[in-house]
């Protein structure tokens, strides 16, 4: 699981100082610009970021920065678009929670992209920061080699999509929608793993099971932390506080909001189910201890009296009249058999057998 | 139990794309139209959906679509009534939670119909979507062969019912009321099953019991998720936000709201009782382990000293003066009896017997 | 305990249909009318309900219906006083929660009267419905043979009570006050039973104890469900939403509200204490298992080595030089004594003895 | 601990009827009057309450009644100051929770004074009722022989205190402040006892420990019930709802409010710690059972094979060739030693030794 | 861990009386004054506090008092700056929670500085009180030899920092920011310790582990109490209630607020993880008891029948025909081997081996 507790150690630095916090990455940072309106579509990769690609209000500009560990580049982009130093600080610090901040000229939105690593059974997290201006969206991703926005680009290129007719706010909505939709896939995979584990708890619980339960619980805590604030972010977007989001977008935001609610509900359900599974596990361990104890008690209860009797007639007293009886030995064997049968009947009435 | 975690895997598709999500069904879709006012009543089945059956404001039109897996049909119905693409997307995606959305011209309401499968001890769920316009109600059901609205149709046909004198809003209310009423039946059956289980926990708990408890808990989680948002839906309907619902209906909505509250309270009560039952179960397992241990300890405590004594006089030392005593053997037997009696008295004072 | 899960099975019936839901009763329904003002007091029993007994505003009319299973009578009373069909439906359905509904002309209040059956250790519940009009109060009780309103009638008759000078709202308050006061008596008896159980948990816990704990917990859940909504009912009454309740009554309602809060707090306290008792119980079972285990271990640890030694010298090897030693037997006895003493010292340092 | 469940059994009596509820006391009731302003200070004890001691607005009158079981006296005081019958009913019923009621002419405040009885390890509770008028404060205490207001009287007498320059509202604040401050002392003592218990849980847990834990938990529940509503009382006092409290007092009330918050937080902390202690206790019992089991298993596992071998060669078969070997016995002893060593090594690898 | 329950024992003293509450310290109190504006920077230590160092509005004055146990000094500082007696009382009482109080002329802010003592595995706490006036900030620290404000002083001295251009409110923000940032370091260290413990719980749990868990839980409770109210403090600062904080500062306060939220979330996450670890611990103890029991049962089940058989043929009956058979002994050995093999197969099918 991604480390959920990585925190900043910037004590003493003035606010607005850019320090990259997060997994150290060294890959090349890729900057792409997509500019479009209903009739126009341009897409290019920028080798060296020199001048500001945002144009007038007739075109929407989508600037995508893939990699936030090159601080000078982030600063240049920020400078060109007039981003506040605190915004830039948050972009390069990848330990943020989802949040929405209104800087007047632009909205700053932090989101968490999640990938499920099935081999390691872990959730990978990537921070995605969006700045939504009147005619541009800048998206900052960590450089991970994965890109959830590809289908969106495809739709942009095709020209027939509604997105080409709408403004920057609809583009921002589409980016958020793509991220939220990807959560469903993660939940589905987690759901399958949890059902497997549930099967295991019922049929063959062991020490490993509890550790897996604990692992899933941690992942649920982590997911919850990533999704819960997102709900508030989207709720605030559709509350009409900013002029950057037009009323025509509200209906779409309501739809994403709805998805977020469903995701949160599903996470809560999983948590409840995981808690219930621990109860099953503990009671099954108790049950097995109980049944082990029964075996032991049955064995001990049957053989202890017999062994005693055998020992009794193994004594070397001079005068033990039973020992001289011709039928002594067969009689004792019969007595022992009676004892065994009595015990077995007793255990059956106690439902131990 | 119905899969509560089925989620959409639509990542990358533009919003408003129709994708049927839910159990795959292939049955024929049935479309029925009922049109009525105080004097008039017409009911017909539509073979091919061609033209829009909704008439002027003097008649109420109830269009019932039984099966949402034929996307072109859903699209045609949506087109004829002016439903928003996002509405249609939600209708064919049967993994929604109950919700109310106000699209201005119509209210879109998602509900969950529940059936209790007594053989499988499972709750089956069906999504029912309602669109309430000024003079029409469209209801979309999954094609399940069951129809909770039959008694309502009967009342419509009879002509003497209040429903014939009222508008589309009262029809929508009646549909919701029928669904909510059906929950009571489910709860009653669940309540009986839980009482049976409670009896079992007390009299004869076993490993199976915990699994059943867990199953009931999951069903309660599931029920809660289906009913809880319904409360908000109905509360919003009677809050007077939409002109589509007249004030004269509020008193009836308050009544359904009340029923919803009662259902939620009952679910919470069941959850509390189920939690308590797990406590009983665990403490009864502990108690049984405890009593098994007592039997073992009693047996061991009585026979170990006896066996030792028997072994002692089975030794082959040359000089063991006791062995030659004439009363040695009877004396030892008496000593053993005294030991046994002492032990039994000891156990009785400890209340182990 | 009263069945807390009895629910309606009215699916399909139109709203407002009268169906008696609750314990089947067949006793005779008694209708009494009391009419009073400061100077006047009339009390009579009505054999056949024919005409409406409510007079002008100068007198307060209290109509008490003892039994709600005779639906025609309830309908007649409702017709005479102009009660809404939904009100009548709620009156005869005795599975309501406490609630307040404002029908404009009258307030409809549902309350729960509780009786504690000490023999069965169960709480009996009776639904009491009040309709408060401008100059009348109608109270519907289930026909149970018990009547909590007798002291109130006594006060009315005496003439010197404040109640004779006040309106119908004060009468309604007095009825509610009488019911709320009776809860204290129930709580006191439950409190005593819980203290007895607490004593039992500490001194002599057994399997029965947990079942009693569970039973008390269920009763607390049930009580909570009956009292919790009552708080809201009274709060709404003193919020001044209805012209039927005069401001001069608010101070009295505040007093009852206060009592309700105290009752709820006491119930919560009992729940907390009951939870704590389960903890004590479980830890005492663990402790007892632990001490049983110690006895077993001590016995086994002492006698197993001894039995082994005895067995060793019971072997029939030809050449066992110890057997021929004259002091062999006494020496072995001493060795055994030393082993026993060592073990006992060991157990004492481990604080097992 | 003080009985937290004493409740009223007044069913049937009209509201406003004075019935003393609480511990029966028979001591003499002491009434003292203190009247002061910046220049004046008079203090006297009243033998027989005849006339109303409250003067004009230039002096503040503090009437302290020590004992509320003499109902006629309480009625006389109430009559002289114009207290509402419901107020008097609450004063003599010492099972109230803290509350504030605004009767227009005066504020009625119920508080709980707590004393910690270290011998019995119990919290004693005393109800203190205050009525704050424009120029007087009446305080009703139960007659307990203890008086938390003595230091306050001292400050009043000294003349140099701020209190002499302020009005009745500041006096009321001072009384509340004295009571709240005394809670800190209780918490400190409880804190020490809890730390002692924590030490005991870790070093030497026993059955008694759990009962003490339960006792502390009950006391925390009780404390919480006494302090929690107090927070609301003080919050409402500084909300400016009553003209009887001047704005200049708000800053002091905020200070007491702050103390109340701190007390509540400390109580919550104690509850959390006590819950944690139960976990430690239960896991330590499990651990001890586990280690007892290990001892038993080690002993059994070592001696059972040995005893079997000894028994084997104690058999009386005619043809047992080993018995005749000269080195049979020593060889067997060596085999046994090897078995023991193997077992010990095994247990060590399992970390049981 | 710092004592979280130290409380005041000031009962009876008038409000506003200065009593130093907290760890007794005797070190020298150090008072430093820093005065600056964009062009000016002065820093000096004050030996004897005589006159008020605050100047006109063109300079910001930061007065730092290192040590609050010299009450006369605190009183002098308070007098010079016009601080309310209740403020001074709170400054010298170091058992406060974080809070913000608006005294009109100045804001009084209480904060908690935390240090993590890695040797003792304890969190040390220091109370820091700030008073923010229009042109000054006074900070009171306990004299601990540690100073978190050093990097801030460095920035002030350098002259190029934004802080020199801003007012006293930005200085106060910077002080708070420095404190909040230091929490992250504490959390990071705690996070590492918790991960170590998690490893230990999984690999090698023991009695000590639970005590460490409990210790961490207490520290989380303590941290939560220190940070939770801080959130409200900062929220109120940016709510624009006071003219002392300019709107230009809100954006920075929002940033600190955000950090506080992240800290609180991290603490909650740790609490959840610690709870989960206790579950793992308990289930692993149960598992180990279960596996110990299995070993015991296997040993007993195998050797008890064998020992019985050996005892049987050790009996001294005259007529035991088996004893005389030549193949008796080898046959018995084979029978015994069959029994052992049967048992082992049985245990394997039960998955005990």
């Amino acid at each position: 699981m991604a480390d959920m507790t990585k925190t900043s150690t910037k004590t003493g630095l003035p606010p607005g100082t850019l320090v990259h916090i997060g997994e150290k990455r060294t890959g090349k940072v890729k900057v792409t610009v997509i500019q479009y309106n209903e009739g126009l579509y341009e897409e290019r990769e920028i080798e060296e970021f020199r001048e500001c690609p945002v144009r007038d209000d007739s075109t929407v500009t989508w600037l995508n920065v893939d990699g936030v560990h090159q601080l000078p580049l982030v600063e240049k982009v920020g400078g060109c678009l007039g981003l506040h130093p605190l915004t830039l600080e948050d972009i390069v610090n990848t330990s943020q929670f989802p949040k929405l901040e209104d800087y007047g000229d632009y909205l700053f939105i932090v989101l968490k992209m999640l990938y499920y690593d099935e081999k390691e059974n872990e959730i990978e997290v990537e921070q995605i920061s969006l700045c939504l201006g009147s005619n541009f969206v800048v998206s900052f991703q960590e450089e991970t080699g994965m890109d959830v926005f590809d289908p969106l680009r495809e739709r942009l290129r095709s020209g027939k999509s509604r997105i080409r007719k709408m403004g920057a706010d609809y583009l921002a909505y589409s980016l958020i929608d793509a991220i939220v939709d990807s959560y469903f896939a993660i939940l589905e995979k987690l759901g399958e793993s949890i059902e497997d584990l549930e099967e295991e708890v019922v049929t063959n619980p062991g020490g490993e099971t509890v550790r897996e339960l604990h692992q899933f619980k941690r992942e649920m805590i982590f997911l919850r932390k990533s999704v819960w604030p997102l709900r508030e972010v989207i709720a605030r977007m559709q509350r009409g506080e900013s002029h950057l989001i037009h009323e025509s977008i509200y209906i779409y935001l309501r739809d994403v909001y709805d998805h977020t609610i469903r995701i949160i509900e599903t996470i809560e359900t999983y948590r409840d189910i995981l808690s219930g599974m621990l109860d099953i596990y503990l009671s099954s361990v108790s049950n097995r201890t109980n049944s082990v104890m029964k075996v032991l008690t049955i064995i001990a209860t049957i053989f202890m009296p017999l062994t005693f009797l055998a020992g009794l007639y193994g004594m070397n007293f001079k005068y033990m009249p039973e020992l001289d009886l011709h039928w002594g030995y067969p009689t004792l064997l019969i007595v022992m058999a009676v004892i065994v049968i009595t015990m077995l009947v007793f255990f059956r009435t106690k439902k131990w057998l």
Side-chain angles (χ1 to χ4, degrees), chain A:
Chain A
M1 188 186 45
D3 186 356
M4 77 178 73
T5 61
K6 184 75 88 256
T7 47
S8 140
T9 48
K10 292 176 49 184
T11 321
L13 291 180
T17 312
L18 289 205
V19 179
H20 177 249
I21 293 170
E23 214 176 308
K24 288 299 160 232
R25 302 181 197 270
T26 52
K28 177 133 180 40
V29 174
K30 214 174 89 186
V31 182
T32 50
V33 179
I34 291 176
Q35 284 176 312
Y36 66 87
N37 57 30
E38 203 168 347
L40 175 99
Y41 181 80
E42 282 177 29
E43 180 175 351
R44 67 180 190 277
E45 192 162 326
I46 295 183
E47 283 302 310
E48 193 105 0
F49 195 87
R50 281 216 192 93
E51 45 177 348
C52 213
V54 177
R55 297 194 207 162
D56 58 20
D57 280 10
S58 67
T59 22
V60 175
T61 304
W62 174 17
L63 191 65
N64 182 53
V65 183
D66 219 347
V68 295
H69 50 282
Q70 278 192 16
L71 305 185
L73 177 70
V74 172
E75 256 176 341
K76 263 186 212 155
V77 173
C80 123
L81 297 165
L83 306 182
H84 194 279
L86 286 175
T87 303
L88 299 181
E89 192 189 338
D90 284 351
I91 287 170
V92 298
N93 179 344
T94 64
S95 66
Q96 306 291 322
F97 291 129
K99 65 176 172 180
L100 168 70
E101 285 183 356
D102 188 346
Y103 282 87
D105 287 340
Y106 64 95
L107 292 180
F108 175 54
I109 303 166
V110 178
L111 299 165
K112 291 294 184 180
M113 184 65 216
L114 303 177
Y115 305 98
Y116 187 63
D117 182 343
E118 286 186 80
K119 273 182 299 186
E120 301 280 320
N121 200 19
E122 271 183 9
I123 295 174
E124 294 287 330
V125 68
E126 176 193 0
Q127 176 162 319
I128 293 182
S129 313
L130 303 179
C131 297
L132 163 64
S134 62
N135 59 352
F136 69 88
V137 171
V138 207
S139 55
F140 295 86
Q141 308 184 37
E142 292 182 67
E143 180 262 330
T144 56
M146 280 166 289
D147 197 334
V148 77
F149 296 143
D150 275 339
L152 189 63
R153 274 188 207 101
E154 218 44 66
R155 265 155 62 202
L156 271 171
R157 281 178 206 127
S158 78
K160 280 170 297 189
S161 163
R162 187 191 294 112
I163 196 169
R164 287 278 289 275
K165 296 170 206 147
M166 312 284 284
D169 49 357
Y170 190 85
L171 175 60
Y173 149 72
S174 301
L175 293 169
I176 296 173
D177 189 49
I179 290 170
V180 170
D181 270 2
S182 76
Y183 290 173
F184 281 110
I186 304 250
L187 281 180
E188 214 161 324
K189 280 177 197 157
L190 274 175
E192 286 165 19
S193 305
I194 288 174
E195 262 175 49
D196 290 352
L197 188 61
E198 209 169 2
E199 189 62 29
E200 191 184 316
V201 165
V202 166
T203 56
N204 185 22
E208 189 53 33
T209 320
V210 181
R211 281 203 274 290
E212 270 181 64
L213 263 172
H214 185 62
Q215 175 71 3
F216 275 114
K217 268 193 176 169
R218 279 190 73 159
E219 266 162 22
M220 285 305 146
I221 294 171
F222 176 68
L223 264 176
R224 204 168 168 274
K225 267 175 70 183
S226 300
V227 182
W228 190 258
L230 182 61
R231 180 174 163 262
E232 183 55 24
V233 165
I234 299 170
R236 278 181 58 204
M237 284 178 81
Q238 62 173 314
R239 220 178 287 146
E241 287 168 350
S242 169
H243 65 277
L244 293 166
I245 296 172
H246 302 93
E247 233 174 277
S248 58
I249 307 294
Y250 292 175
I251 207 167
Y252 296 99
L253 288 173
R254 199 174 61 185
D255 196 58
V256 204
Y257 183 78
D258 218 70
H259 292 178
T260 320
I261 295 290
R262 244 161 74 199
I263 289 164
I264 290 171
E265 284 286 331
T266 309
I267 292 172
E268 293 304 315
T269 303
Y270 284 162
R271 282 170 63 116
D272 279 357
I273 291 178
L274 287 171
S275 294
M277 279 159 72
L278 190 72
D279 288 337
I280 294 197
Y281 177 80
L282 282 176
S283 68
S284 95
V285 170
S286 293
N287 262 333
R288 278 184 297 148
T289 300
N290 191 268
S291 72
V292 170
M293 288 295 310
K294 279 184 194 160
V295 171
L296 176 60
T297 305
I298 289 168
I299 289 291
T301 312
I302 288 176
F303 283 102
M304 276 190 167
L306 302 189
T307 304
F308 164 64
L309 283 180
L312 198 68
Y313 292 107
M315 293 194 295
N316 298 322
F317 282 103
K318 282 251 164 68
Y319 309 101
M320 289 180 71
E322 298 98 318
L323 294 181
D324 300 322
L325 298 173
H326 194 272
W327 294 109
Y329 178 56
T331 308
L332 183 64
L333 286 184
I334 288 164
V335 166
M336 284 173 167
V338 168
I339 287 174
V340 169
I341 288 162
T342 312
M343 289 294 176
L344 290 176
V345 168
F346 171 75
F347 292 132
R348 187 152 284 271
T349 58
K350 281 230 166 188
K351 287 195 184 137
W352 291 7
L353 277 175

